[in-house]
Structure formats: C-alpha cells, structure tokens
Amino acid sequence: MGKQKIDILLSTSVWDPKAWVEGLSQSELVGKIYVWPTEEDLSNVEALFVWKPLAEGVIEKLPSLKWISSLGAGVDHLMTDPQIPRNIPITRIVDPNLTTDMANYVLMGVIMHQRSFRLLQQNQQKAQWERITYNKLRVGVMGLGELGGHLAKQLYAAGFEVSGYSRTQKQIEGVKCYDENHLDTFLSELDVLVNLLPITPKTVGILNCELLSKTPKGCYLINVARGNHLVDSDLLKLIDENHLSGAMLDVFHQEPLPNDHPFWAHDKITVTPHVASVTSPESALNLLKENIERLVNETPLLHQVDLNRGY
Ligand code: NDP
C-alpha cells in the first residue's frame, strides 16, 4: 500500500498562493490542494496553511483537521483568533533565509543610525562636505529566539557591544544575556534597543513610556517585531522630549500605515513597509514538506508553538 496523501487548504489572503501551490504539488505526499475562498467540500483536509487573516467559519468546514501552520515566523494572527482549535499542533516558519534577512535589516538600521546616514544624505543634497564622527554603540536585543538570537551573534561579529533579553536565561558567545528578572539593568546599558519579541498578552504595548524611559538618554529604537508592541504616542513624546534620538520602524498597528500617520513625515523616524524579513515560498516549503512527511509518519512536527506561552 502506498503512503497516505495529505489534503491541504491554503489561506494566504494578502499573498498570491501560486508559488505555494506549485511547490506543494511537487510533493508525492500531498493530495488535493485547495485555496480559500472555495465552495468545494473540504471534509478531507488535514492541514491548513495560513497567512493572515483567516476568514470566519473556515475551521468549521475542516472536520479532519490535524495540523495548522502559519506561513510566517509569527503566530499572533492564530493565537488571537477564537476559531483556532487548541487541541491540534500549530507550527510556524523557521527558515535560514528569514533569519539572515532579519539580521541584515537590523544591522543596516544600526549602522545607518551609527553613521548618521540620514544626515549624510541631506548634506549631499546641499553639496555639503561634513565629516560626521561616530561612536561605538551598545546594542540590546529584546527576544533571543530564532531571529533575535541570530541577530545578537551577527551584531557581535560586526563589532558592536551586544546584550540580550529573554524570558529564560540564554548563553550566547560575546553577548551579555539577561533573563526576564533583569529588564531594568538590560535597558540601562543601551544606545540602541531592538525589539524581536513575539506578541503575547505579556508583550502587547511593552514599548511604552515607562519601559523606554529606562533607556539612557539618546537611545535609538528599532522595532521589527509587531506594531502593537509599541505605544505610538509614547514614542513620539519621548523623541520630542529628546529622550530617544529616533526610531526605525518596520511594523505598525495598522498596515499599510495610514497616509496621515505622524511617523511618515517625522524627521527622526525611518519607516519601512513590513519588509525586514519576508517569507520566501521556495525556502519555507522545505520545512512544510518535512512536516508533511512527519504528519504522515505520525512523528512530532517541527517548530511547534507552545499554546500556553502563545509563541
Ligand atoms: P521566537 O519564538 O523564536 O523567539 C521569541 C523570543 O522572545 C524568545 O527568546 C523568548 O524567550 C522571548 N520572549 C517571549 N516572551 C517574552 C517575555 N514576555 N519577556 C521576555 N522575553 C520573551 O520568535 P522569532 O525570533 O522567530 O520571531 C520573533 C518575532 O519577530 C515574531 O513573533 C514576529 O512577530 C516578528 N517577525 C517580524 C518580521 C518582519 O518582517 N518585520 C518577520 C518575521 C518575524 P524564551 O526563549 O526564554 O522563551
């Protein structure tokens, strides 16, 4: 008897599903691939692959569902959706390209800040030759998981003084690591604060006036995790009061960032449209195919989310 095939439903509301369908259909373990929205009978679907948001009522059409995978690194869109069942595994994408791209983006932000790159560009417009000096920077990474842990190593390799903060204690060569009981000490020693925490009930709004005020005067913020980690008005207030020197932001409460949002025109804020690290179907499909094989062979799926922790 041949191996069982898995029927899959893809819901990629903001992405073109074509590359995912093509990639998945090359696996001999994949049966039918459905793309939401569809009127077809989905009662044999065992795997649901989602990038946000998932339409209401989808789950109730999937009585055979055994596994849900986010098509990105984040799972906040699933954790906050009441229709998502809690009795089947939920996995997410962990992919070397995603990890490398994130580290490169943040390195770019840190170095642009260190070298006053915005000012150099403004000076070029005026044909002004001004050799701006720069200092060594202490960079702190909040969240030392797949993305933050790799970033901390890359920052150290690039010559920065690096510290990191996470729920549990980590050991990373060259990086001063703090656990969740030492947040204030971590914050007090920084020139740049990078946020790579997941969104959970504990971390929503964590980048607020109280926390950001604990950084030294002149600290710069890079938020590449989620928009709702940040209290926008607190950031603007702290920049206006010259406590923070500025920010680079890739993620926002509302995306696309509304045209009239004050971040767009602020001369100390750099805005990018959620492009710090984008899942590429070509490389993420390797993990999905590995997990399809594991589902068929009834072995534990890779990169499962801890439903109690929420990430
Ligand atoms: P991981 O789950 O691998 O790592 C999360 C880290 O955060 C862990 O070190 C964890 O600590 C720590 N953490 C979680 N909650 C707390 C808390 N309450 N206090 C202190 N530390 C905490 O996530 P990834 O590194 O893969 O991804 C991080 C986030 O990056 C994603 O959730 C997503 O939102 C965002 N992202 C943004 C992208 C973009 O393009 N802008 C692209 C991809 C992801 P511990 O290890 O001790 O549990």
Side-chain angles (χ1 to χ4, degrees), residues 115-124 126 130 132:
R115 302 303 189 98
S116 307
F117 199 72
R118 282 175 79 111
L119 190 55
L120 291 172
Q121 283 183 310
Q122 287 161 15
N123 286 348
Q124 182 182 348
K126 296 181 272 179
E130 184 192 355
I132 301 167

Side-chain angles (χ1 to χ4, degrees), residues 8 19 54 71 82 89 105 121-122 221 243 252 267 296 300:
I8 295 169
L54 183 66
L71 289 179
Y105 175 97
Q121 283 183 310
Q122 287 161 15
L221 174 70
H243 180 76
F252 305 92
D267 65 353
V296 169

Side-chain angles (χ1 to χ4, degrees), residues 73-74 76 92 102 143-148 165-168 170 180 196-198 202-203 224-226 250-251 274-277 309 311:
D76 38 303
R92 66 194 191 97
M102 179 57 83
L144 293 172
E146 294 291 340
L147 301 180
Y165 167 77
S166 52
R167 190 178 53 87
T168 57
K170 308 285 180 217
E180 64 181 347
L196 264 170
L197 290 169
K202 282 191 178 168
T203 66
V224 275
R226 285 291 179 263
D250 185 54
V251 285
H274 203 146
V275 288
S277 186
R309 283 188 334 209
Y311 65 95

